[in-house]
Amino acid sequence: MNRQILRAVAGCAGALAAAVALLGSGCSDALTSLDSAWWPDDGGSGTDDRGPQEPAVPVTPALLLSAPAASRSYVFVANELRGTVAKIRLDLAAVRIEPIRVGAGPTLIVTSPESDVAVVLNEAGGNVTVIDASVPGDVTTRTVDTLDGVDHLSLSPDGGYAIAWRGYAPGSSAAQLLAEVSLVDVDGDAAVAPVVSVGTGVADVAYDATSENAYVVSLDGVSRVPLAAATSDTFAPPLAVWPSSERPRVGEPARVVVMAEARIAAAWSTTSDRLFLRDLDGGDVVEVELGEGNGVGADGQLAVLDASGTLVAAAPEASAITWVDAGAALRGEDGAVSAVDIGASVTQLVVSRDGALVAAFAHGDALLHLIDSDTREVRHVDLRKGIDHIVFADDGADLAVSHTKGEGEPEAGSPADELLDRIYAATIVDLESDRTKLVQLASYATEVAFSPTAALLLVPGASELVRVDREALSADTTRFARPVEHVGVVPGVGAAYVSQVHPMGRIAFVDLQTGETREITGFELNALID
């Protein structure tokens, strides 16, 4: 979990009293001016080179802040040590902050871009808090008890249900093999979440698009949980997706993917070229031969085109990508398995959100292979620089490529390819025209977010945000005085947020049209005042 311990010297009682006097007693919805003397101006545009200037009254003894989570209109940040969540909204001339009391030890917040409801996991308290900020000025909260020890939380696509569980990952010990999840009805009124018994070692949770069912992946298989029907403690038996000889052992990956729309689960063998399929509404495990040398194995890739019930597999050394029509394979139809030769071996497969396009590449190689899911046509884009990872825009129109970097620094007079290899860079690819924009960076881009108009590249090594216009492919850079941590988009206000490391909490909002940046320092201060 991406959290940052931020420590500052505690202020004396007189300093805190001064803070209260400055902010006044009505801090539950404090309208905080960006030009306030309380938070010194250290470059509201993010371009000041004087370095960070601390507030005159350091009142926060210790913060443990979660990664921000954006809803339709707000950004939420949890403070684990104080049991609070800051709800932050950008208005035309200021930032509006509201501290909200939640449970003990909040560590994770999940939201939907379609609503202003947030669900907070309070790890130390063994519960979750539902925050409903749908009505401006009238925030409601409700705390729901969950299983003790849960550390993962997910939200259904419609935002109506949340599932909390203790996560299993490769290397997990037997003590982490919880065989239950807590199901929270976000819109309900229950004080205790029903417990759903599933398989041992919960690795993942998937939902269908209509939020009718959740699918819980474990070391025992896949459990289907009808969300609306699970109003009390219940058992959702896991359906094994492998033959017994292929079942993962404790400490190994679960090796299962779920096609929630098609209600099909798939697993793969690490020792053969076989794939295993199971209809989650019933039926036996069906073995599918992928062809000699085309098995996923321990190091291959298996991706899901969920809406069509299609799987795409890449073997570590094969130059072909295998297409599997899972529904046809379950029915025993001919032609369910086919291969698309791309002329090169790949190590990574990434599918666009709508499933229309599959991107394939070998880590460190400059050639990006794009496969149309309907026609299986392949086109190749030479990016001239090694690929580290890629991110599709949600609308599927563009993708961002973060590049690898060769050893050494670029030197004057070096060949062009050597210079290119030794710089930090990212590329934006227009997928309709294959236009590319190479953007030189000061360090690696660790996070990418897309808005309808811009690609946002976060560069923590240089405390920078690079904004690339998706139409013009022009780029501009905003520099911050403090190290940056996370970037995201708040769709309802046309802005992006950039969280920064600061002993009192700092966040910047970037106008996605103009690039204008506004910062707020000390947003967590309000949580100290009741």
Side-chain angles (χ1 to χ4, degrees), residues 422-437:
R422 292 183 177 183
I423 65 170
Y424 296 99
T427 296
I428 306 302
V429 182
D430 180 331
L431 294 171
E432 182 176 354
S433 64
D434 287 347
R435 291 186 306 156
T436 62
K437 169 70 174 184

Side-chain angles (χ1 to χ4, degrees), residues 7 148 229 350 375 443 461:
R7 302 198 179 276
D148 290 334
V350 183
T375 65
S443 186

Side-chain angles (χ1 to χ4, degrees), residues 19-215:
V20 175
L22 271 169
L23 290 178
S25 60
C27 290
S28 63
D29 195 17
L31 186 61
T32 308
S33 171
L34 293 171
D35 298 322
S36 168
W38 177 249
W39 294 292
D41 179 9
D42 57 0
S45 66
T47 58
D48 193 339
D49 293 327
R50 294 173 296 168
Q53 300 179 35
E54 298 298 340
V57 186
V59 299
T60 310
L63 305 181
L64 190 54
L65 303 180
S66 73
S71 66
R72 179 175 53 203
S73 307
Y74 303 102
V75 174
F76 297 88
V77 183
N79 180 347
E80 182 176 348
L81 297 186
R82 298 198 178 280
T84 59
V85 168
K87 177 176 73 73
I88 308 170
R89 178 183 173 90
L90 175 68
D91 286 332
L92 291 177
V95 172
R96 190 176 294 272
I97 308 166
E98 181 174 355
I100 301 169
R101 294 288 181 185
V102 292
T107 56
L108 178 64
I109 305 172
V110 293
T111 56
S112 166
E114 306 299 326
S115 74
D116 284 322
V117 174
V119 184
V120 184
L121 176 64
N122 306 310
E123 279 196 48
N127 52 48
V128 300
T129 298
V130 178
I131 301 172
D132 188 344
S134 303
V135 180
D138 184 22
V139 174
T140 62
T141 63
R142 179 172 62 93
T143 297
V144 183
D145 289 341
T146 64
L147 292 160
D148 290 334
V150 297
D151 55 12
H152 284 62
L153 185 68
S154 68
L155 194 64
S156 63
D158 68 354
Y161 296 91
I163 290 180
W165 74 95
R166 179 181 293 179
Y168 167 83
S172 294
S173 67
Q176 295 171 284
L177 299 181
L178 203 65
E180 298 87 23
V181 301
S182 290
L183 174 61
V184 179
D185 184 345
V186 173
D187 299 321
D189 56 8
V192 179
V195 174
V196 182
S197 295
V198 291
T200 300
V202 178
D204 196 13
V205 175
Y207 301 89
D208 55 28
T210 60
S211 299
E212 180 182 354
N213 297 288
Y215 297 91

Side-chain angles (χ1 to χ4, degrees), residues 414-506:
S414 299
D417 287 346
E418 183 177 305
L419 285 172
L420 187 61
D421 181 57
R422 292 183 177 183
I423 65 170
Y424 296 99
T427 296
I428 306 302
V429 182
D430 180 331
L431 294 171
E432 182 176 354
S433 64
D434 287 347
R435 291 186 306 156
T436 62
K437 169 70 174 184
L438 180 75
V439 182
Q440 184 171 353
L441 305 174
S443 186
Y444 286 111
T446 59
E447 290 189 6
V448 178
F450 281 94
S451 77
T453 59
L456 306 167
L457 311 173
L458 192 72
V459 187
S463 295
E464 292 180 351
L465 177 71
V466 178
R467 184 171 60 96
V468 183
D469 185 286
R470 294 177 62 181
E471 180 61 32
L473 294 183
S474 57
D476 62 73
T477 300
T478 302
R479 296 178 179 87
F480 299 92
R482 283 280 182 169
V484 295
E485 293 184 290
H486 301 287
V487 64
V489 174
V490 192
V493 296
Y497 68 81
V498 178
S499 65
Q500 301 164 62
V501 177
H502 192 281
M504 296 180 68
R506 175 177 293 178

